[in-house]
């Protein structure tokens, strides 16, 4: 994240800021999309809970490309998207999804990151193919390409008015936008608790700018009444202090430092370049043989 600092003294349990639900990017935003909501809902029904992330990523990629090119239907999320790491290096963001395949093989093979990194990349590749079938033609039309957008169209029945079908390959920039969307979700998404007890994902502007600490000085919760996210001070915070959130506990057995890297793109407390650590076969990533 960018990081955030206090401009004045804050008392324990004081509200630092609130983010209304309408400002959060939720699954509802995707499933209520005027043009693709029905297709998104159908995909989730067929794919189950795993389809939620695919739909969120597809919706984000579509909105990002429209906003980036200022095409027809430019996104209402444009300003927020400008704060997110769509490409490697933006906000200092590192992630295995941004790496070329040969770098994965060169640096990660044999490490504790290798299997998960390959799995993530495979999931994103599959999601990109699925979302291209849903969104690809419309993105091309929004860019001014003269192709059939799909769906019912009476002109398709009139030979001299019919348009050529859209190419099967994804539109330019779409695979990269899908990778960027997945990186945003993996590194910045928060749980969105539903009334039925299930959890979805959501992106919360401003809160997602805070850096990680295993001893955070803020806490956050969603108000059940209206879905607003409240961010409060865990303790008294002096003026000029950086605010820290806890992405995941560093004590979790399911979240070793190597998995922090594949999920969030960094290792807590380590400022050294990750590629250097991998090249040196750091014990963070490579099992070490015990001396006898």
């Amino acid at each position: 994240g960018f990081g955030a600092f206090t401009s004045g003294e804050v008392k324990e349990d004081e509200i630092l800021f609130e983010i209304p639900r309408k400002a959060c990017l939720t699954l509802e935003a995707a499933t209520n999309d005027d043009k693709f909501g029905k297709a998104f809902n159908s995909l989730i029904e067929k794919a189950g809970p795993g389809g939620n992330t695919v739909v969120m990523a597809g919706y984000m990629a579509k909105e990002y490309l429209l906003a980036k090119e200022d095409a027809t239907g430019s996104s209402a999320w444009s300003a927020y998207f400008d704060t997110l790491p769509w490409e490697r290096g933006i906000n200092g963001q590192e992630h295995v999804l941004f790496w070329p395949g040969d770098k994965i093989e060169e640096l990660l093979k044999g490490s504790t990151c290798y299997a998960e990194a390959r799995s993530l990349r495979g999931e994103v590749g599959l999601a990109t193919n699925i979302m291209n079938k849903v969104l690809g033609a419309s993105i091309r039309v929004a860019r001014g390409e003269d192709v059939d957008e799909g769906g019912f169209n009476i002109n398709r029945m009139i030979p001299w008015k019919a348009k050529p079908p859209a190419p099967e390959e994804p539109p330019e920039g779409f695979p990269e936008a899908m990778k960027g969307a997945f990186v945003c979700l993996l590194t910045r998404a928060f749980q969105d608790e539903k009334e039925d007890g299930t959890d979805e994902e959501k992106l919360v502007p401003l809160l997602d700018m805070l850096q990680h600490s295993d001893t955070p000085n803020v806490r956050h919760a969603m108000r059940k009444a209206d879905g607003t996210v409240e961010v409060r001070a865990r303790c008294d915070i002096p003026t000029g202090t950086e605010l820290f959130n806890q992405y995941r506990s560093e004590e979790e057995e399911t979240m070793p430092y190597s998995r922090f890297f594949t999920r969030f793109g960094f290792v807590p407390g380590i400022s050294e370049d990750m590629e250097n650590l991998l090249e040196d076969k750091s014990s963070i990533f490579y099992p070490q043989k015990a001396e006898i």
Side-chain angles (χ1 to χ4, degrees), residues 1-6 209-213 215-218 237-245:
F2 284 105
F5 296 77
T6 57
M209 289 186 178
L210 304 190
Q211 303 284 6
H212 164 79
S213 172
T215 54
N217 53 11
V218 307
I237 305 175
T239 302
T241 302
E242 184 168 7
L243 301 177
F244 288 99
N245 189 24

Side-chain angles (χ1 to χ4, degrees), residues 7-19:
S7 58
E9 292 186 1
V10 181
K11 297 297 183 183
E12 182 179 355
D13 204 42
E14 184 178 338
I15 292 179
L16 289 153
F17 54 89
E18 298 177 328
I19 306 298

Side-chain angles (χ1 to χ4, degrees), residues 110-128:
S111 75
T112 52
C113 301
Y114 183 64
E116 184 168 21
R118 283 177 55 87
S119 176
L120 279 174
R121 291 165 67 86
E123 290 173 17
V124 172
L126 178 60
T128 299

Side-chain angles (χ1 to χ4, degrees), residues 200-275:
E200 295 174 359
E201 293 177 304
K202 66 182 174 188
L203 292 174
V204 184
L206 187 55
L207 178 58
D208 63 11
M209 289 186 178
L210 304 190
Q211 303 284 6
H212 164 79
S213 172
D214 214 37
T215 54
N217 53 11
V218 307
R219 57 184 171 83
H220 56 87
M222 184 179 75
R223 286 204 301 252
K224 298 293 184 182
D226 59 5
T228 295
V229 177
E230 283 185 351
V231 181
R232 293 177 179 268
R234 285 179 177 264
C235 56
D236 291 346
I237 305 175
T239 302
T241 302
E242 184 168 7
L243 301 177
F244 288 99
N245 189 24
Q246 185 183 53
Y247 297 177
R248 292 282 292 271
S249 170
E250 295 173 27
E251 302 299 320
E252 284 186 38
E253 291 185 3
T254 58
M255 189 56 66
Y257 280 176
S258 58
R259 190 148 192 251
F260 247 94
F261 174 64
T262 52
R263 171 69 186 269
F264 298 107
F266 71 95
V267 175
I270 302 295
S271 58
E272 187 174 348
D273 184 82
M274 292 295 108
E275 290 189 34

Side-chain angles (χ1 to χ4, degrees), residues 176-210:
E176 292 75 17
M178 284 292 291
K179 286 180 185 178
F182 266 92
V183 168
C184 293
L185 290 168
L186 284 166
T187 62
R188 283 160 169 72
F190 296 88
Q191 286 187 332
D192 191 18
E193 299 176 10
K194 312 303 290 183
E195 291 183 357
D196 61 5
T198 60
D199 284 329
E200 295 174 359
E201 293 177 304
K202 66 182 174 188
L203 292 174
V204 184
L206 187 55
L207 178 58
D208 63 11
M209 289 186 178
L210 304 190

Side-chain angles (χ1 to χ4, degrees), residues 9 21 33 59 92 114 133 136 144-145 155 160 162 171 174 197 207 229 242 246 251 256 260 264 283 291:
E9 292 186 1
R21 184 167 183 81
D33 184 83
Y59 174 74
Y114 183 64
K133 291 179 172 62
E145 295 185 35
N155 289 333
W160 60 88
F174 185 68
L207 178 58
V229 177
E242 184 168 7
Q246 185 183 53
E251 302 299 320
F260 247 94
F264 298 107
S283 59
E291 293 185 8

